[in-house]
Amino acid sequence: MISQFFVLSQRGDNIVFRDFTELANYCMDEVDVGMGLVVSDRGEVQKGSAEIFFRKVKFWKEDGDGDAPPVFTVDGVNYFHVKVAGLLFVATTRVNVSPSLVLELLQRIARVVKDYLGILNEESLRKNFVLVYELLDEVIDFGYVQTTSTEVLKSYVLNEPIVIDAARVPSLGPAAIFMQGNKRMPGTAVTKSVVANEPGGRKREEIFVDIIEKISVTFSSSGYILTSEIDGTIQMKSYLTGNPEVRLALNDDLGIGRGGSSMYGNLPPHDISVLHHATDYGNSSVSGPVFLDDCNFHESVHLDSFETDRTLTLVPSDGEFPVMNYRMTQEFKPPFRINALIEEAGPLRAEVILKVRAEFSSSITANTILVQMPLPTYTTRVSFELEPGAVGNTTDFKEASKRLEWGFKKARIVGGSEYTLRAKLTFSQESHGSIVKESGPVSMTFTIPMYNASRLQVKYLQIAKKSKTDNPYRWVRYVTQANSYVARL
């Protein structure tokens, strides 16, 4: 049972707050008074839980321990939280509940709110707080989950949102581009509410598909790949009226399972040449079969023809939902190569050399790139030296956490390019061991739009037409992000 739910801004402001035990206690007290019973206070979690939570999360980061874990306990109160669009969605309880259940619930609440509001940020929540509380009361009743389906909620929540101007929302950069053949469309197209009517009462028929992959790679000190994994999902958001049937075709030569056989049947023979017409989104090669270790599908997906032609059939519900989740550990070409070196440069001094090389096509650009490297705890000063002509690079030494940061926030890395950073370290004492063991590993975060590391692709998206003139817009976007991208020293 969930005792409280609240949403906090990045500053710790309480935007939404609901105490379910307080409401339950009130209802039970009414019954108990009528029956002539004396009942003690049933309140579970104190009123100031939101402030306690934010202070704990804030100091957790300031103490140099990184971000707070999604689940932690303070004075017997369990706090669960996820961060979505810069907002903290939090649930509290003293009861021993499944953490994965509560975290999934928080993600789904955020998704439902986004489906209704179109844009999920602090301004949209404040302007639509009445609608948000109405949604919350339908999703959770006395702390227990009722439904998180946007389709079901449309029957009970009839209010329309106050739409926020999408032009005022910060751009996501190239990652916010959808593709339809050679056409490009800004990702702000999916910031529309699934319930609000457009001006003139007309609704644009369109459907959006996201292939989002989060990759994890660990490099050895000599540059060899030790581990590699891809966690991917195919997200769909539909603005189609009448709920028509949709057919989504994947690679013909797709295999599932380590042996290359599908959990739904055997893969067609590998020696059969398959002509693959899908666009190469920055891959090293579009030839050869694609093998997934495992996958799961949304409950609305029908797999009748998946074994024969790798086609998923479904009737998309309103709102955003994952059509398919998959995992892949087959070797793939990493988008970046990281080389790191640290060596002594005299008494109480050392030098660090970091090199980052983009291994993808020159037609692809990466953004929101950040390279980090922990330094010895006795490091007192760091001076940086970038390559001549380097533009948009930022360097910083976080003295509290003894961490070096190299960012490309104002610059984009083009495929095939290489960047080098030299950092000179000054120590407060001599090292009594190996500097290499007291430093690193180097970690990297990035986003690469229109790049697909696994080579899993949507061949076509077919919609059952209601008439000959009916031709909905279809948009597809590929995005690759770093999950755990690490290079050892």
Side-chain angles (χ1 to χ4, degrees):
M1 174 182 176
I2 296 173
S3 300
Q4 296 171 334
F5 169 84
F6 48 90
V7 181
L8 302 182
S9 69
Q10 294 181 341
R11 303 180 304 277
D13 297 335
N14 215 334
I15 305 173
V16 177
F17 184 88
R18 177 68 83 199
D19 192 326
F20 299 105
T21 57
E22 187 178 67
L23 181 59
N25 287 337
Y26 174 78
C27 295
M28 289 299 295
D29 287 341
E30 289 290 322
V31 175
D32 295 336
V33 169
M35 297 177 64
L37 301 176
V38 178
V39 182
S40 61
D41 182 23
R42 298 185 185 85
E44 290 189 355
V45 181
Q46 61 269 37
K47 293 287 187 181
S49 57
E51 184 178 346
I52 294 172
F53 165 80
F54 186 74
R55 190 186 307 120
K56 186 72 174 178
V57 169
K58 183 180 179 181
F59 288 147
W60 207 303
K61 197 166 187 176
E62 290 181 354
D63 290 341
D65 297 329
D67 293 332
V71 182
F72 59 85
T73 303
V74 178
D75 297 331
V77 178
N78 301 317
Y79 291 88
F80 308 82
H81 78 282
V82 296
K83 192 171 184 179
V84 183
L87 301 171
L88 290 167
F89 287 72
V90 191
T92 66
T93 182
R94 288 185 182 272
V95 181
N96 186 17
V97 297
S98 168
S100 58
L101 171 65
V102 180
L103 294 175
E104 176 65 20
L105 172 62
L106 294 175
Q107 291 281 6
R108 292 198 181 191
I109 291 175
R111 190 180 303 158
V112 167
V113 173
K114 184 177 183 297
D115 286 342
Y116 266 78
L117 305 188
I119 299 172
L120 183 58
N121 59 20
E122 183 177 350
E123 182 185 4
S124 64
L125 285 179
R126 291 191 183 279
K127 288 193 174 183
N128 293 278
F129 73 94
V130 174
L131 175 58
V132 173
Y133 275 107
E134 190 177 356
L135 285 169
L136 197 57
D137 289 340
E138 295 295 342
V139 171
I140 303 176
D141 195 14
F142 294 108
Y144 293 94
V145 185
Q146 303 303 307
T147 181
T148 57
S149 169
T150 304
E151 188 81 21
V152 174
L153 289 169
K154 285 177 68 176
S155 303
Y156 303 101
V157 181
L158 305 178
N159 287 332
E160 289 197 2
I162 301 173
V163 181
I164 305 299
D165 185 7
R168 295 163 57 187
V169 180
S171 174
L172 298 176
I177 297 295
F178 280 91
M179 300 294 296
Q180 185 193 35
N182 295 325
K183 297 180 182 178
R184 287 174 172 256
M185 187 176 191
T188 51
V190 294
T191 58
K192 299 186 302 182
S193 168
V194 297
V195 295
N197 291 321
E198 295 184 9
R202 302 170 66 182
K203 186 174 182 180
R204 180 179 169 118
E205 296 278 322
E206 52 192 345
I207 187 169
F208 297 85
V209 177
D210 267 339
I211 295 85
I212 303 172
E213 295 187 343
K214 296 185 177 181
I215 61 178
S216 300
V217 179
T218 303
F219 296 96
S220 68
S221 56
S222 54
Y224 292 102
I225 298 176
L226 300 176
T227 61
S228 59
E229 182 176 317
I230 298 176
D231 287 307
T233 181
I234 300 178
Q235 293 271 0
M236 181 176 288
K237 190 166 188 178
S238 173
Y239 294 93
L240 304 175
T241 58
N243 295 332
E245 185 179 82
V246 173
R247 290 172 60 85
L248 188 148
L250 304 177
N251 307 49
D252 290 329
D253 50 1
L254 174 64
I256 300 174
R258 290 186 178 274
S261 60
S262 169
M263 66 181 71
Y264 304 102
N266 293 327
L267 185 72
H270 295 166
D271 57 349
I272 297 178
S273 177
V274 179
L275 185 60
H276 192 57
H277 294 288
T279 306
D280 175 16
Y281 292 107
N283 296 315
S284 58
S285 173
V286 293
S287 61
V290 176
F291 294 106
L292 306 180
D293 286 55
D294 50 60
C295 63
N296 58 67
F297 303 90
H298 190 265
E299 57 191 20
S300 64
V301 176
H302 299 290
L303 302 170
D304 301 338
S305 59
F306 185 71
E307 179 182 347
T308 56
D309 59 8
R310 295 300 185 232
T311 301
L312 305 177
T313 305
L314 69 153
V315 177
S317 58
D318 289 334
E320 189 173 1
F321 64 96
V323 175
M324 173 183 174
N325 298 306
Y326 58 91
R327 186 172 64 91
M328 172 181 171
T329 57
Q330 177 192 4
E331 289 186 10
F332 59 91
K333 186 176 182 179
F336 288 100
R337 285 280 178 179
I338 308 173
N339 293 318
L341 175 67
I342 182 171
E343 55 186 5
E344 293 186 8
L348 303 179
R349 293 181 183 277
E351 186 177 23
V352 173
I353 302 176
L354 294 177
K355 287 187 178 182
V356 174
R357 177 173 175 80
E359 296 285 309
F360 42 87
S361 168
S362 59
S363 62
I364 304 294
T365 58
N367 54 30
T368 61
I369 301 162
L370 180 64
V371 180
Q372 300 182 82
M373 176 180 171
L375 301 175
T377 55
Y378 43 84
T379 305
T380 56
R381 190 167 62 88
V382 179
S383 59
F384 299 96
E385 181 183 337
L386 291 166
E387 292 178 306
V391 179
N393 289 213
T394 59
T395 55
D396 192 14
F397 170 53
K398 302 292 184 181
E399 191 169 358
S401 56
K402 303 298 181 182
R403 188 174 69 251
L404 176 156
E405 290 189 355
W406 179 22
F408 296 79
K409 294 183 179 180
K410 296 182 180 180
R412 299 171 185 169
I413 289 185
V414 180
S417 58
E418 182 176 292
Y419 297 83
T420 303
L421 171 70
R422 294 178 179 271
K424 296 181 179 180
L425 315 182
T426 303
F427 301 142
S428 60
Q429 64 182 48
E430 290 188 4
S431 173
H432 299 293
S434 172
I435 297 179
V436 175
K437 292 183 179 180
E438 296 175 330
S439 308
V442 180
S443 61
M444 185 177 184
T445 59
F446 53 81
T447 298
I448 313 177
M450 305 316 296
Y451 178 86
N452 186 237
S454 70
R455 294 184 288 111
L456 179 69
Q457 295 177 354
V458 176
K459 290 175 54 183
Y460 64 82
L461 187 62
Q462 191 177 71
I463 303 171
K465 295 183 179 180
K466 292 173 287 185
S467 64
K468 292 183 179 180
T469 58
D470 186 27
N471 188 23
Y473 290 89
R474 304 166 182 84
W475 304 99
V476 179
R477 175 174 63 176
Y478 294 83
V479 180
T480 296
Q481 299 172 329
N483 185 30
S484 175
Y485 212 81
V486 176
R488 296 177 181 175
L489 297 178

